[in-house]
Structure formats: C-alpha cells, structure tokens
Amino acid sequence: MIPEGFTKAQAEKAETMEAALLAKSERAEAQSRESAVAAADCQVYWPAPYEVCGAIRDKYNALGGPNSFLLFPTSNELTNPDGHGKRSVFQNGPIYWSADSGAYPVVNHFFAAWQRNGWESGPLGYPTSDEIVNPDNVGRRQYFQGGTVYWRLNEAYYVTGAIRDKWGETGWEGGWLGYPTSDEVKLPDGQGRMNRFENGAVYWSPTTGAHPITASILDQWSRAGFEASSYGYPAADPVTHPGGIQEQQFQHDRIYSSGLTIPVASGVSLSLGVPSAGALRPETVPDGVVLNGPGFTARFQRVAGDGSFEVSLVRLDDSAPTSLDLLFGAPAGYTLRATPQRVELTDSTGTVVAGVGLPMGFDSTGAAVPVQASFEGNRLRLQLGNSSAFPVEFPAIAAKGNALEEWWSTGIKQRIVCENEPYDCFRVRNARGPAFNVSKNAFPEATATEDNRIDAARHCIWNGLMTEGANQGFVQRMAAAHELDGSVKPGWTRNAQLMDEYNNKTGVQVGLRNEGSPGNIESTCIQYGKDARIVPEPDTIDLTNPNGIDLIALRHP
C-alpha cells in the first residue's frame, strides 16, 4: 500500500530509482523494499522518488529515516548558494550539511528564525547541533556556527557573541533575564547591538561592551531615547541595593531608580529615578529608600496602602545643588504629559492612569520656598529656591489615576489651599496615608461603593489627624477642597459628597477632643465607623453635625 501523500506515479518512479541504484551497486543481490537501497553513497526511500546522499543520508538514518519526525524526503540533494554546502528537504524540514559543521536538521520555529536571518549565508551560518532540551524541560536550543537559537512558547530567537556571553553570566534562560524575545538587532548608530529578553535587554557597543538593563531603569532610559540619549550606552551591569534601589552607570551619568513604582496595569508601572553625575549613597528607611548626595537627599516613601508614595527632594545646606532632576519611566504605549499641577501618565485611550504632583517647597519654619518646574521628554527639571532655614524640603505625591484627586499634591483645589497655607499643609500633608491604612485594616472586606463604613472612617481619621496637627480652619478649607477635587471623578454623586462632608465634621470634633493623641483619634473613628448610621439620603438629616459624635453611611451590611 502506498503511504498517504504519495501518488502511484511517484511510487513507480521511486521503484525505478531503486533499481537504478541497485544496478550501480557493487552488491547486486536483491534487497527488500522495506530496507533502503544503497548505491553510489545514496539511498531512495520508497515511495518518495528522491535520493538522499552522504552525510545527510547518514544523519537521516540515525534519526530513524522515514519513521523519524522528518518523515519522507521531498527533494534530491541540493547544492546551497555558497557552492559548498548541501541540503535535502523532508516533509517536516531540511537537513543541512557543510564540511565544517556536519549534517543537522533545522525544523519548525528554529527553521523560521534561521530563515529570517538569511539561512546559512546570514550571521548564524550552518547548524552545528540538533535541537537540545533546556534544563527547564520547557524550552529548546540549537547551536549554529554564528550563534544559538533559543525557543520557548512558539517563539525562537538567536543570541550570539558578547551579548550571548553576558546573558550566560546572568544564568541563561534560567536567570533573571529569562528567554530572548528578539534576534540580535543592529542599532541605528551602526555600531551597537542589542537583544531583548523576557525581563530586560542586553546592549553592546565596541566602547562599552555588553551590559544588561532591566526594569525601571530600562523604562527611564528608553523614555530618554535609549543609547541616542544624553546618557549613551550602559557602561556597567546594574546594581541592586537594599530596599530595591537600582543603580546603573552609563557612558554619561548614572541613573538611580527608587524601586517604588505605581502599578497601573499587569506588568506596567510608573517609576521615578534620579540621574546623577556622581555616586549617591543609598539607604533604606521605613516604607522607603533615600538617596544621599552632596548637600541633598532624595527620599521615596510609601504613604498609603493604595500604592501612593511621596518623593521629596531635600536641600540640607548651601552645598546642595539648586537644580535637581527626576526621570519618569513607563513602557511603550503610554504617554507622559505635564499640567500646571502634575505630570500625568495616560494610556492609549487618553485615560490618566497615574501621576506625580509637581513639588512644593517648604523650609524648616514651614514657610513656602519657590520651585520652578520644566518637563521635557521624561525629565522633570526642578529649579529649587533657597532659604536659610535648612533643611528645605520639596515634596510631592505619586499616585494611581483614581487617587490623584485624593492628595494635597495632586488634587488641584487642595494644592491651592497648600499654596495659601504652607505651614499647616506641610505639617499634616500626608494624614490621608494613616487614615487610608487604618480604615482598610479595620474593614478589610469593605468597598467604598457597597460598604461605606470604610470611607466614613477614613474621612473621620483624616480630618481628625489634620485637626490635631494643624487647626480647625485649615482643616475645613482642606476638606472642602478635597470634596471639590473629588467631584470631577467618575462615579461622583451628590449624596456621597454630603456623606463625606458630614463625616469630615465628625473628624474635626474627634481631633479637637483628642489633641495630642493620634491613636485615640484613630480608634474613636473606627468605632464610629462600625456603628455608622445608614442614611441613604443625607439631606434628610441635620448636616451641620453640631456634636460630631457619629458617622453616616449611604449603605453597609
């Protein structure tokens, strides 16, 4: 029976070829059709009417001939364009041979990667191995004269030379870079090369050699313009310091990344870094990190469980620079833009998904200190005003898009209050952080829409802590500004605003009754939250809230 895929004419031609080879053979004895007929260093595999010869034939037989993954031949032996090598094509791929490399099959995604790069005349040259299973028992690799092709999850890419060696230093595919996700790419300057990997990239130039770059520093450097930026190529491997601080030296300047980011989608974050001509001294602080430079510090510190963090540049004395930069990082597909109040990250639909307020300046007396900001590309350049009352601090908040209106630094109306009343603002600017965290811990399963007790307790604690740290008038103005900022958020309702205003007033009274005792403010507001009255229509009650001894919620279990 003729195997499927072959015609009777092909089978008859194969028989004729077998007979011709047999006639040429020094051993003219009859052989069965099931065994390959050998003569003149070639074989025919019935019913395929093609000769497979020499080293290619030996390799094919070693793999199992027609019973191997290659199945039957579909061509005679062919001479390659270089005039030296040979190939035979089979149903599932070819076997290539050269005198220097030997004979090896190249199939499926490996063949596609090799074809994409010019076959044997490209940078890879001829294959020098079969496919090899990687140590993870998932991926595979195949060696060529000019590099190695790695395959995983239906993608195959080649790495070679110094980039391959550097990748090997990181642990190959089992290291922190993971598998390659691109072939080696020639860069626009005509000199450098790079490969992308699952968790970063390796860049090479004749001047700097090969160095990996990853995570936030890669995002910040890429936004600046890659190797064509003012930083040039990476000139050293990245260094990770305690607290997650990353440092990497480039041809021109270093980039330090804080390790704190604002997650905005799966695998996507907004990051901030500090470029520096010289070395900075990293250290960890509670919930954050500090970069120490000559006469200044850059502090990055979480302020709430929603991921928000404060970045604060501090001039310690007159030796501090009067100009400092922040670098913003985010993957491709997102846009950075500046407004008079903040730098925003938007997605492809134009939705603001994260942002950083422009810093405000405060000296040690609480007096306002001017700061001028300019934003270009992904660099925020800050011209910092001076004061003899050191330290002079320039803080700002980084937050997700849905939390930008919640903070003094990013909420437009709240920022105006801070500009007008810097002393009080500076002292209590981040009271929302503990208010958020304490209320979330007290009501871990609650949502702001279905169980308003968490929101009621948060507003109470926030206003109470501000009152305890500042004064009643400032807090009332800040709370009013907060509600105005919130009115631009999607899902805003008049009833929710009335609920917040009532609970803000309770928080002020709790703060007045518990001066000097933030813990009592928090515990009192949490208890009020647990006992909150359900008032679906707040305008039906006395919203002046003269006593401040309870909280209300639109709904809760």
Side-chain angles (χ1 to χ4, degrees):
M1 179 178 295
I2 299 173
E4 184 177 354
F6 294 92
T7 65
K8 184 173 185 296
Q10 287 177 316
E12 290 174 348
K13 183 178 178 180
E15 289 180 347
T16 300
M17 294 175 68
E18 286 178 340
L21 287 173
L22 187 61
K24 295 177 183 179
S25 174
E26 294 179 354
R27 294 174 298 146
E29 64 270 22
Q31 298 183 18
S32 66
R33 179 171 291 137
E34 287 73 19
S35 63
V37 177
D41 203 30
C42 296
Q43 287 181 255
V44 173
Y45 299 83
W46 184 89
Y50 305 102
E51 294 182 358
V52 183
C53 304
I56 293 178
R57 177 203 62 189
D58 295 342
K59 184 66 176 181
Y60 181 53
N61 286 340
L63 292 171
N67 294 318
S68 71
F69 63 90
L70 291 171
L71 299 181
F72 285 93
T74 59
S75 79
N76 289 317
E77 184 172 274
L78 304 170
T79 300
N80 296 330
D82 62 9
H84 301 289
K86 304 288 185 180
R87 72 187 185 276
S88 286
V89 182
F90 302 84
Q91 287 177 309
N92 281 337
I95 293 177
Y96 273 73
W97 171 88
S98 77
D100 293 332
S101 62
Y104 297 98
V106 187
V107 300
N108 298 326
H109 291 91
F110 288 93
F111 180 80
W114 190 40
Q115 177 189 44
R116 185 171 65 239
N117 289 283
W119 287 292
E120 71 280 358
S121 62
L124 285 169
Y126 280 91
T128 60
S129 79
D130 296 327
E131 289 181 23
I132 300 169
V133 177
N134 294 333
D136 62 7
N137 289 318
V138 175
R140 291 172 178 264
R141 68 188 184 277
Q142 186 167 12
Y143 295 103
F144 292 78
Q145 290 173 313
T148 310
V149 175
Y150 276 77
W151 170 90
R152 180 175 180 265
L153 299 178
N154 297 325
E155 292 187 357
Y157 302 100
Y158 89 90
V159 289
T160 189
I163 291 179
R164 180 181 60 187
D165 295 343
K166 177 58 68 172
W167 180 47
E169 290 179 19
T170 72
W172 305 105
E173 72 280 357
W176 54 269
L177 280 170
Y179 276 87
T181 59
S182 80
D183 295 324
E184 184 176 277
V185 177
K186 185 177 182 179
L187 298 176
D189 63 6
Q191 301 295 316
R193 303 285 190 273
M194 63 85 70
N195 270 87
R196 296 184 185 89
F197 295 83
E198 290 177 297
N199 299 311
V202 176
Y203 277 75
W204 172 89
S205 79
T207 304
T208 60
H211 300 286
I213 181 169
T214 186
S216 297
I217 289 185
L218 176 56
D219 288 343
Q220 293 157 21
W221 180 64
S222 66
R223 285 276 174 173
F226 295 100
E227 72 282 354
S229 70
S230 61
Y231 302 102
Y233 282 90
D237 292 353
V239 177
T240 300
H241 298 281
I245 296 174
Q246 281 192 315
E247 171 192 353
Q248 189 151 18
Q249 177 71 55
F250 292 82
Q251 287 177 297
H252 314 290
D253 291 350
R254 306 175 192 219
I255 295 177
Y256 289 84
S257 190
S258 68
L260 298 187
T261 62
I262 301 294
V264 297
S266 177
V268 177
S269 296
L270 173 66
S271 66
L272 289 177
V274 177
S276 176
L280 302 180
R281 181 171 55 84
E283 65 174 307
T284 59
V285 295
D287 298 316
V289 296
V290 174
L291 297 171
N292 297 281
F296 78 95
T297 65
R299 186 179 70 247
F300 301 82
Q301 202 162 15
R302 292 281 181 205
V303 291
D306 63 357
S308 302
F309 64 88
E310 183 179 83
V311 52
S312 186
L313 304 175
V314 184
R315 299 189 73 234
L316 301 174
D317 55 43
D318 281 327
S319 68
T322 58
S323 175
L324 288 172
D325 294 343
L326 290 174
L327 282 184
F328 288 68
Y334 290 78
T335 301
L336 288 164
R337 69 187 185 194
T339 75
Q341 295 80 28
R342 61 201 187 197
V343 176
E344 298 175 339
L345 182 69
T346 63
D347 64 15
S348 58
T349 69
T351 300
V352 179
V353 295
V356 180
L358 298 183
M360 294 176 61
F362 308 88
D363 69 13
S364 62
T365 71
V369 178
V371 55
Q372 293 183 337
S374 60
F375 188 75
E376 183 177 357
N378 70 325
R379 180 191 293 251
L380 179 65
R381 174 151 292 172
L382 302 169
Q383 297 293 334
L384 308 177
N386 206 351
S387 168
S388 59
F390 291 107
V392 183
E393 189 162 353
F394 300 87
I397 290 292
K400 292 182 179 179
N402 61 3
L404 287 176
E405 311 306 335
E406 303 287 334
W407 288 97
W408 66 273
S409 170
T410 48
I412 295 172
K413 300 298 183 181
Q414 294 167 87
R415 187 181 180 91
I416 293 173
V417 174
C418 281
E419 290 171 347
N420 292 332
E421 303 180 65
Y423 178 75
D424 289 317
C425 178
F426 182 68
R427 288 193 298 164
V428 300
R429 64 190 187 278
N430 290 332
R432 182 186 176 273
F436 180 95
N437 295 339
V438 171
S439 59
K440 181 64 176 176
N441 290 337
F443 302 97
E445 305 301 325
T447 64
T449 54
E450 300 302 324
D451 186 351
N452 300 141
R453 293 177 299 173
I454 187 173
D455 191 57
R458 180 166 63 245
H459 278 260
C460 178
I461 296 171
W462 177 52
N463 281 264
L465 292 177
M466 285 198 298
T467 301
E468 194 274 334
N471 64 77
Q472 182 175 353
F474 168 81
V475 175
Q476 290 171 337
R477 289 184 287 277
M478 180 61 87
H482 177 84
E483 297 307 322
L484 288 175
D485 283 333
S487 66
V488 304
K489 296 174 62 175
W492 175 89
T493 67
R494 176 62 177 164
N495 281 340
Q497 179 175 330
L498 293 176
M499 175 187 68
D500 290 346
E501 290 175 349
Y502 184 95
N503 294 331
N504 288 343
K505 293 172 183 176
T506 296
V508 170
Q509 294 301 317
V510 172
L512 291 172
R513 294 195 296 266
N514 291 276
E515 287 192 23
S517 182
N520 284 348
I521 293 172
E522 294 173 357
S523 61
T524 300
C525 288
I526 292 301
Q527 189 58 53
Y528 282 176
K530 293 178 179 179
D531 299 334
R533 288 187 290 151
I534 297 177
V535 183
E537 302 290 337
D539 56 4
T540 63
I541 66 172
D542 182 4
L543 293 174
T544 64
N545 188 9
N547 298 317
I549 57 173
D550 71 344
L551 298 175
I552 64 172
L554 302 182
R555 64 189 68 84
H556 69 73

